């Protein structure tokens, strides 16, 4: 059983070794990664100030898990509401969904995918997720606007120059300059180099 709530409990469990708690946070991020796994992880490291030596601030892991939890708390009720609406639509003979659910993608990465792992919104994750889902529900098109920060897109086929969210989601393909080295630093929480 590797559900999100179970993994959050492990992150919080102070009796566990710090490396196990870090890996539980990784599992949480695999379940809930609105920017895609790497950019979401980068956000957590920066936002929760996860230190290179976990012993220096073990509570940073809990802050990161709570940051993810708040975003998931925005997504789950929307997903349940959508599933219920689809159930009613199907019963009424509507076979093709009227709207495409953004969370139906790996880790929810279709919500606000950021191909460049270091270029993502800097606000709390839950706020960004809420804004994207609200703008999507209001019928604002990704072809003309960035659903994450609200600006009008100068280049509809590119990642948003302001916040880094790509309108094509995980299908965008491009993943930023020299990703391997930057990912290595991000994973090891070595961001001040
Ligand atoms: Zn944007």
């Amino acid at each position: 059983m590797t559900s999100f709530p179970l993994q959050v409990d492990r992150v919080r469990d102070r009796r566990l070794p710090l490396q196990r708690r870090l890996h539980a946070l990784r599992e949480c991020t695999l379940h809930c990664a609105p920017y895609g796994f790497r950019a979401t992880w980068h956000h957590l490291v920066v936002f929760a100030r996860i230190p290179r030596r976990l012993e220096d601030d073990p509570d940073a892991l809990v802050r990161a898990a709570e940051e993810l939890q708040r975003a998931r708390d925005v997504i789950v009720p929307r997903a349940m509401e959508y599933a219920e609406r689809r159930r009613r639509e199907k019963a009424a003979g509507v076979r093709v969904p009227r709207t495409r659910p953004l969370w139906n993608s790996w880790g929810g990465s279709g919500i606000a995918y950021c191909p460049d792992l270091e270029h993502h919104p800097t606000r709390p994750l839950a706020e960004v997720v809420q804004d994207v889902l609200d703008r999507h529900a209001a019928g604002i098109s990704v072809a003309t606007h960035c659903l994450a920060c609200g600006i009008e897109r100068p280049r509809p086929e590119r990642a948003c120059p302001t916040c880094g969210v790509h309108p094509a989601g995980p299908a965008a393909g491009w993943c930023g300059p020299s990703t391997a080295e930057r990912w290595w630093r991000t994973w090891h929480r070595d961001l001040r180099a």
Side-chain angles (χ1 to χ4, degrees):
M1 179 76 177
T2 56
S3 70
F4 185 92
L6 182 81
Q7 296 298 339
V8 170
D9 285 348
R10 285 195 182 140
V11 175
R12 287 203 179 101
D13 191 341
R14 291 184 166 82
R15 295 163 304 176
L16 293 177
L18 285 168
Q19 279 300 322
R20 279 212 41 209
R21 293 171 63 192
L22 178 72
H23 280 268
L25 180 64
R26 178 181 176 275
E27 291 296 319
C28 292
T29 314
L30 289 169
H31 279 89
C32 180
Y35 301 155
F37 177 73
R38 290 178 172 191
T40 303
W41 187 263
H42 184 270
H43 168 75
L44 294 177
V45 171
V46 174
F47 191 87
R49 303 183 305 282
I50 306 175
R52 189 165 183 185
R53 280 170 26 96
L54 295 173
E55 309 76 43
D56 290 346
D57 185 5
D59 286 343
L61 296 175
V62 179
R63 292 196 295 273
E66 285 171 351
E67 169 69 356
L68 274 186
Q69 175 85 63
R70 285 188 290 270
R72 193 169 175 275
D73 287 347
V74 173
I75 299 166
V76 169
R78 299 283 187 110
M80 286 170 66
E81 198 184 289
Y82 178 84
E84 175 58 25
R85 194 171 70 241
R86 277 300 295 147
R87 200 189 55 74
R88 286 199 307 270
E89 283 177 358
K90 277 186 189 166
V94 181
R95 289 285 147 206
V96 182
R98 292 197 179 112
T99 51
R100 185 174 56 95
L102 296 175
W103 48 81
N104 271 12
S105 51
W106 177 87
S109 51
I111 294 173
Y113 184 73
C114 298
D116 182 337
L117 71 97
E118 289 176 317
H119 188 198
H120 50 74
T122 53
R123 292 185 291 147
L125 190 54
E127 279 183 20
V128 176
V129 167
Q130 178 94 51
D131 285 351
V132 170
L133 298 181
D134 285 350
R135 288 189 176 109
H136 186 255
I140 295 171
S141 169
V142 290
T144 55
H145 288 81
C146 173
L147 298 190
C149 69
I151 65 156
E152 209 169 320
R153 288 189 175 284
R155 308 275 301 267
E157 73 286 5
R158 295 274 182 90
C160 174
T162 305
C163 73
V165 171
H166 201 295
W174 183 73
C175 53
S178 58
T179 299
E181 188 267 339
R182 292 190 302 142
W183 171 240
W184 191 92
R185 282 195 286 109
T186 301
W187 176 249
H188 291 90
R189 305 165 306 282
D190 183 13
L191 299 181
R192 273 160 284 279

